[in-house]
Amino acid sequence: MRRLVQCIAMVGLLSLFAAAVAGMAWALTAGPDDMKGGALLAFVVAALLMMRGWLALLAKAGAQPLGVVVAGLVALIFTGTVPAAFSERAMHERGRLTACRVLGVTEMEGVNGAATVPVYRLDCDAQGPLSIMESDRVLQVNQRVLVRYDPEGAADAKLAGDDEPVSVVDASVLAGVALGLLTLASLGLIMFGRPDS
């Protein structure tokens, strides 16, 4: 009976965590400007509290520490894929094309710190100044390029013709798979864990 209650509580906490992450993504890409900061903060705090409660429940149910760490890492992947899906949707729905001129190129350290990534500063006809990172092409100063941008600034601008990194459907499926894996793994950790005595 105790395990059943823990499983129900875990599903509830994961559902609230998923809702908070979706709210966070909404605040980033579609929330009203006058309440964007407050809404984002509220959703981030809610997501962190739900994640903390869920991981604490797993530990209390006797899950191995490695299992709790792996579950936390999958939760972080989920937290990254949901905003990506919202961003791709915003670009798909609101994206516009504009001609731009490359003003300059700087190098920025990549995510893993092992490589540098070019950051192109652009002056665009319809949008004004923009920056683009990680283009598939090498651009030169004063080169004219066509850029797809979000007029509301919620999605990152991209060079027209660059490969789309993730489609709306792919990002949504990836987020759903991550949430499904979290749920199944958490249920397994609770069912087969050694409860604290």
Side-chain angles (χ1 to χ4, degrees):
M1 183 67 172
R2 178 179 176 189
R3 298 236 189 239
L4 177 63
V5 170
Q6 288 174 328
C7 287
I8 292 169
M10 184 277 307
V11 169
L13 285 169
L14 266 180
S15 298
L16 291 171
F17 168 72
V21 170
M24 185 175 68
W26 168 82
L28 282 169
T29 59
D33 287 337
D34 58 338
M35 61 179 276
K36 191 173 278 196
L40 180 60
L41 178 63
F43 285 123
V44 166
V45 169
L48 288 173
L49 288 174
M50 294 305 113
M51 186 175 171
R52 181 179 178 267
W54 158 64
L55 292 174
L57 179 65
L58 289 181
K60 184 173 178 139
Q64 295 294 324
L66 180 61
V68 175
V69 168
V70 169
L73 291 174
V74 175
L76 292 176
I77 292 169
F78 173 76
T79 304
T81 57
V82 173
F86 273 70
S87 179
E88 289 299 321
R89 182 176 175 143
M91 184 63 85
H92 177 74
E93 291 176 353
R94 299 188 302 244
R96 302 282 184 267
L97 291 175
T98 184
C100 303
R101 184 174 59 86
V102 179
L103 297 176
V105 182
T106 57
E107 296 289 325
M108 186 176 95
E109 190 172 301
V111 176
N112 61 6
T116 58
V117 177
V119 178
Y120 298 102
R121 289 180 296 110
L122 309 172
D123 182 31
C124 301
D125 296 342
Q127 183 66 12
L130 285 174
S131 291
I132 294 181
M133 296 173 53
E134 298 187 57
S135 169
D136 291 342
R137 297 173 267 167
V138 176
L139 305 179
Q140 304 298 321
V141 174
N142 288 325
Q143 181 179 349
R144 298 286 293 174
V145 292
L146 196 58
V147 171
R148 187 168 185 81
Y149 72 99
D150 177 7
E152 295 183 21
D156 292 334
K158 301 174 189 164
L159 285 179
D162 272 2
D163 293 336
E164 294 295 321
V166 180
S167 74
V168 176
V169 173
D170 290 344
S172 300
V173 167
L174 188 59
V177 167
L179 185 59
L181 286 174
L182 278 177
T183 303
L184 290 176
S186 296
L187 289 171
L189 288 170
I190 289 173
M191 294 307 292
F192 300 110
R194 295 186 314 264
D196 295 337
S197 45

